[in-house]
Amino acid sequence: MRDLVEIGMGRTARRAYELDDIEIVPSRRTRSSKDVSTAWQLDAYRFEIPLVAHPTDAIVSPRTAVAIGELGGLGVINAEGLWARHSNVDDVLDRLVDAAEQATEASDVTKVLQELHSAPIQADLVAQSIKEVRDSGVTVAARVSPQRAAELTPDLVAAGVEILVVQGTIVSAEHVSRDGEPLNLKKFIEDLDVPVVAGGVHDYRTAMHLMRTGAAGVIVGYGYSSGVTSTDSVLGIGVPMATAIVDAAAARRDYLDETGGRYVHVLADGGIETSGDIAKAIACGADAVMLGAPLAAASEAPGGGLYWTAAAAHPSLPRSRVVPAAESEVDLRKLLFGPSTDTDGMHNLFGALRRAMAKTGYSDLKEFQKVGLTIRG
């Protein structure tokens, strides 16, 4: 039974929980972390760690997408970002860093980012970025918004994209627009030869609808990061991630029964800042996590010490700030696998996940989704 609370006469709301509200319960068994596998597979593509990089120019360039892929994760290029609009992205990013250093108000940097994104998307630049990643041998993924998916996808597929990510703050099975034909995601996916990951979703019903479109994966959340995203204050929309992940996992289970065995992956995107958050997201039922701000601390991140999400460049309603990423940088390998001297769960992110799985006696990610949970307070 749903945990409803009365918020006024005749109106109730469901109680929901963030990752900070829950804890993982140890079991009667432990094992060596050397005997733990963090591998997962999306369609035909296998990854050694459950990491998908949030598609923002702050952390994913063609070069870092390759680096993330070589370390076992998946880097997702923003096909509507700076690499799609400018041939001299290094100079463009330097301008953004200079603007951040000289800004007296946060809006000063936002204006620069909006201006940089006002340049048109150039198909040849997108193709060049995809080719750089593809030539390295790692899996190639690119993100498009629902509004531009139909327009941009043919060029992306022709350039060699292997996984397409259709991502927005909220994504539905059918995106309706007065300015053109609606995006029917089911038909869109049926016509493609590459797997599609779609989201964000926030509840069981929407997750189920997206799964029925034929999506290979569903993104839960919109990349919420404390102090960075402002969707809650701008739109009034928020995602208590622990509850949202559990609900999407329930939709996955019911869809698996409905189809007689078709499994759709759940990717958690938001509220994940530490290695403990990664472990709790998997424990709630996620197959992988989509990391943003934690990866901005990597010395390889193109943001030059800054972090923002794609929503920061919206021309009329930006919903992300450009903020300093971290007090100190660390190389990507150390960030993901250690060794670490950090005691707050900011480094050795997936080494810690292995240890959490080992300490609770689970040998792979699917098993770990069954671990016991408690609620604080």
Side-chain angles (χ1 to χ4, degrees), residues 202-239:
H202 308 78
D203 63 329
Y204 172 95
R205 179 182 296 179
T206 311
M208 178 64 84
H209 284 175
L210 282 196
M211 290 174 186
R212 287 171 175 162
T213 67
V218 168
I219 301 169
V220 180
Y222 55 81
Y224 166 77
S225 183
S226 178
V228 181
T229 53
S230 54
T231 298
D232 51 349
S233 57
V234 174
L235 300 180
I237 293 172
V239 183

Side-chain angles (χ1 to χ4, degrees), residues 23-372:
E23 301 284 3
I24 294 169
V25 180
S27 69
R28 63 180 178 83
R29 179 186 294 113
T30 59
R31 66 177 69 242
S32 169
S33 59
K34 296 178 181 179
D35 298 328
V36 168
S37 170
T38 57
W40 69 296
Q41 186 159 322
L42 178 67
D43 201 77
Y45 304 98
R46 175 185 168 94
F47 305 97
E48 295 306 315
I49 54 175
L51 166 64
V52 179
H54 188 87
T56 167
D57 297 321
I59 59 174
V60 183
S61 65
R63 188 180 306 168
T64 55
V66 172
I68 291 168
E70 289 175 343
L71 291 171
L74 177 65
V76 184
I77 293 173
N78 183 6
E80 299 176 30
L82 297 176
W83 269 268
R85 301 173 189 269
H86 299 274
S87 59
N88 58 335
V89 183
D90 288 342
D91 294 338
V92 166
L93 289 172
D94 286 343
R95 180 184 169 193
L96 188 64
V97 171
D98 289 342
E101 291 175 348
Q102 299 171 17
T104 56
E105 296 182 5
S107 60
D108 295 339
V109 191
T110 300
K111 290 176 183 176
V112 173
L113 197 59
Q114 288 173 321
E115 178 188 338
L116 294 172
H117 278 76
S118 67
I121 294 174
Q122 301 179 49
D124 60 327
L125 293 180
V126 179
Q128 181 180 326
S129 294
I130 292 171
K131 182 178 186 302
E132 183 176 341
V133 180
R134 191 172 181 85
D135 286 351
S136 74
V138 305
T139 303
V140 188
R143 173 261 178 191
V144 291
S145 64
Q147 295 85 347
R148 305 196 71 167
E151 170 195 351
L152 298 177
T153 296
D155 287 336
L156 294 175
V157 174
V161 160
E162 296 169 290
I163 297 175
L164 183 70
V165 178
V166 180
Q167 185 186 36
T169 302
I170 301 171
V171 171
S172 59
E174 183 174 354
H175 177 75
V176 181
S177 173
R178 283 195 327 184
D179 300 327
E181 289 295 317
L183 174 66
N184 184 315
L185 199 56
K186 182 172 184 176
K187 184 177 186 309
F188 176 79
I189 292 173
E190 284 178 349
D191 292 341
L192 289 176
D193 292 328
V194 300
V196 175
V197 174
V201 302
H202 308 78
D203 63 329
Y204 172 95
R205 179 182 296 179
T206 311
M208 178 64 84
H209 284 175
L210 282 196
M211 290 174 186
R212 287 171 175 162
T213 67
V218 168
I219 301 169
V220 180
Y222 55 81
Y224 166 77
S225 183
S226 178
V228 181
T229 53
S230 54
T231 298
D232 51 349
S233 57
V234 174
L235 300 180
I237 293 172
V239 183
M241 283 299 293
T243 298
I245 296 168
V246 170
D247 284 354
R252 178 185 61 205
R253 178 199 62 220
D254 292 348
Y255 181 70
L256 188 71
D257 291 341
E258 178 183 297
T259 58
R262 185 173 186 272
Y263 188 91
V264 180
H265 292 83
V266 171
L267 283 65
D269 182 26
I272 301 172
E273 299 181 359
T274 67
S275 54
D277 293 334
I278 295 173
K280 287 190 279 188
I282 301 294
C284 284
D287 296 286
V289 293
M290 185 173 266
L291 294 188
L295 298 186
S299 55
E300 296 92 336
L306 300 176
Y307 180 68
W308 65 92
T309 72
H314 193 284
S316 61
L317 201 64
R319 299 180 301 281
S320 172
R321 305 172 185 90
V322 181
V323 302
E327 294 181 3
S328 60
E329 293 184 343
V330 60
D331 71 82
L332 184 61
R333 179 178 291 275
K334 184 174 181 181
L335 185 68
L336 299 182
F337 302 116
S340 173
T341 56
D342 171 78
T343 58
D344 296 320
M346 305 300 293
H347 300 164
N348 198 2
L349 299 174
F350 291 91
L353 173 62
R354 294 178 66 91
R355 186 63 60 89
M357 293 168 65
K359 290 293 186 184
T360 51
Y362 295 93
S363 61
D364 60 39
L365 296 175
K366 291 305 301 176
E367 283 189 0
F368 190 54
Q369 291 173 350
K370 302 173 185 176
V371 70

